[in-house]
Amino acid sequence: MTITQPDLSVFETLESEVRSYCRGWPTVFDRAQGSRMFDEDGHEYLDFFAGAGSLNYGHNNPVLKRALIDYLERDGVTHGLDMSTTAKRAFLESFQNLILRPRDLPYKVMFPGPTGTNAVESALKLARKVKGRESIVSFTNAFHGMSLGSLAVTGNAFKRAGAGIPLVHGTPMPFDHYLDDSMPDFLWFERLLEDQGSGLNKPAAVIVETVQGEGGINVARAEWLRSLADLCRRQDMLLIVDDIQMGCGRTGAFFSFEEAGIVPDIVTVSKSISGYGLPMSLCLFKPELDVWEPGEHNGTFRGNNPAFVTAAAALETYWSDGPAMEKQTQARGEQIEQALIAIVDENSDAIEEYRGRGLVWGIEFRDKPRAGAIAKRAFELGLLIETSGPESEVVKLLPALTITADELDEGLRTLARAVRETA
């Protein structure tokens, strides 16, 4: 692909230095549809990024777009705070009938601010209010958001340092496989809880991702998650599952914890819950935890009604026919795994391992900067991929759930070429 030098002057002179994704993809995007993005010069890119997981159903999904346009054209409410609206009612009814009831999940639904970190902040606040304790346990390499409460339970040193103040009341524990299985699961955690001299304050809750996306595609085993849920029950701690990136079907089932057979006390959901990339988040919790006073946690943009419209359309379109979406995601995941096995076989000296579930996968490279070089070369070849992990050593694959088998094969061939050409 020949790429002309785009005019980036206004971004470079006016926009803050905090910008990041645009540095790895130095072009000006103009249109997007399905799993394709197009820059202003007409160059085409296959998207294995999907808005960092906020576009599980692709760009400008036609069914969701039609629902949104119809709603706007009839002057439907766009901003409603937490007022009752027809759009919110339609979403809540669809969510209850298609997601919660079929899974026998009893959750109440809270609309915090519209981003993932807002959902996490409300979950932490609620857990502390319910239990009357301050401490929250998180896990090594966790990522839960960029606001202060979420950063306190995030592992990445670079992101934590950006807070500029001490991050308190969070204690990290080793994630699954972090200690290379050198000791039984949760031995250290439980010892600290039971020892009055350990210095660990009794936690209100434990927050966990079933697959750590930003942390390097670290996949927790189902048995590890079940043991964690059991530990939380025995020790009177709430279990919070952060399903912001891995929920909404990313790992196969609608919620990523379903495979483990657990029912968390609190679940945070965002990114693809709107289905269209519109800001929206949920904090779900068991009814007995609903101890909020009216207005005790709020936010101006928690009533993003256009997001409710596309969210309801996404549920009705993709989650009303039983396990069809889940089976398709599993099939696409198997397609990715076979391609990654071939890449590992061809580059065994360079690759530490590959890992993933459903439609989230990562390849960890021994030479850590290699992952960034591969992402750069992939962009030049017309493929958008990002890196993750504490040192950006993992090439991360996050395509839309609606990607076709042919598109997936095309992108995987491009990835294999990028790996070869950066050797």
Side-chain angles (χ1 to χ4, degrees), residues 103-369:
R103 292 160 179 80
D104 197 26
L105 294 173
Y107 296 133
K108 298 289 289 291
V109 179
M110 175 183 177
F111 298 98
T115 72
T117 198
N118 295 138
V120 170
E121 294 285 357
S122 63
L124 301 180
K125 185 189 290 187
L126 180 61
R128 288 169 170 141
K129 179 178 173 66
V130 168
K131 291 299 181 184
R133 309 177 204 137
E134 297 175 348
S135 178
I136 304 288
V137 164
S138 57
F139 290 94
T140 50
N141 289 313
F143 178 76
H144 295 291
M146 297 296 280
S147 49
L148 293 181
S150 300
L151 279 177
V153 290
T154 286
N156 187 283
F158 172 74
K159 292 180 173 65
R160 290 175 62 87
I165 61 170
L167 296 170
V168 297
H169 309 309
T171 302
M173 291 292 164
F175 192 72
D176 196 12
H177 299 306
Y178 184 78
L179 298 175
D180 298 321
D181 305 320
S182 60
M183 68 170 62
D185 295 337
F186 306 112
L187 176 66
W188 173 242
F189 189 4
E190 193 146 20
R191 184 72 57 84
L192 292 178
L193 288 169
E194 293 175 351
D195 184 356
Q196 296 300 306
S198 70
L200 175 65
N201 293 333
K202 181 79 171 184
V206 176
I207 186 167
V208 67
E209 303 154 275
T210 65
V211 180
Q212 295 182 326
E214 297 304 308
I217 319 301
N218 305 312
V219 182
R221 293 166 295 138
E223 54 266 35
W224 187 87
L225 292 168
R226 286 192 290 269
S227 295
L228 175 60
D230 179 65
L231 175 61
C232 288
R233 280 193 299 271
R234 289 187 286 106
Q235 294 287 349
D236 187 33
M237 303 178 296
L238 297 178
L239 176 60
I240 305 169
V241 167
D242 181 340
D243 233 8
I244 288 166
Q245 188 167 92
M246 297 305 153
C248 302
R250 174 56 55 183
T251 64
F254 187 87
F255 294 110
S256 70
F257 55 80
E258 290 181 49
E259 181 188 24
I262 62 174
V263 180
D265 299 293
I266 304 175
V267 182
T268 60
V269 180
S270 187
K271 289 194 182 285
S272 274
I273 187 61
S274 82
Y276 204 75
L278 299 176
M280 178 179 172
S281 75
L282 308 175
C283 185
L284 312 175
F285 39 82
K286 294 179 178 178
E288 62 268 25
L289 304 180
D290 194 8
V291 297
W292 294 112
E293 296 290 335
E296 190 174 7
H297 186 93
N298 55 32
T300 302
F301 293 101
R302 66 195 183 278
N304 185 359
N305 280 253
F308 298 157
V309 171
T310 55
L315 296 179
E316 297 287 346
T317 303
Y318 293 102
W319 298 97
S320 62
D321 56 353
M325 192 70 191
E326 181 176 353
K327 289 181 177 178
Q328 177 177 298
T329 296
Q330 290 169 346
R332 298 285 189 271
E334 291 169 4
Q335 184 180 349
I336 290 179
E337 184 168 18
Q338 291 306 307
L340 296 190
I341 289 172
I343 291 173
V344 171
D345 287 345
E346 188 179 335
N347 303 271
S348 57
D349 292 340
I351 294 175
E352 186 68 31
E353 68 171 341
Y354 76 92
R355 48 190 181 258
R357 275 181 64 196
L359 277 173
V360 53
W361 291 84
I363 313 173
E364 181 179 350
F365 287 84
R366 294 191 176 100
D367 177 23
K368 299 183 190 303

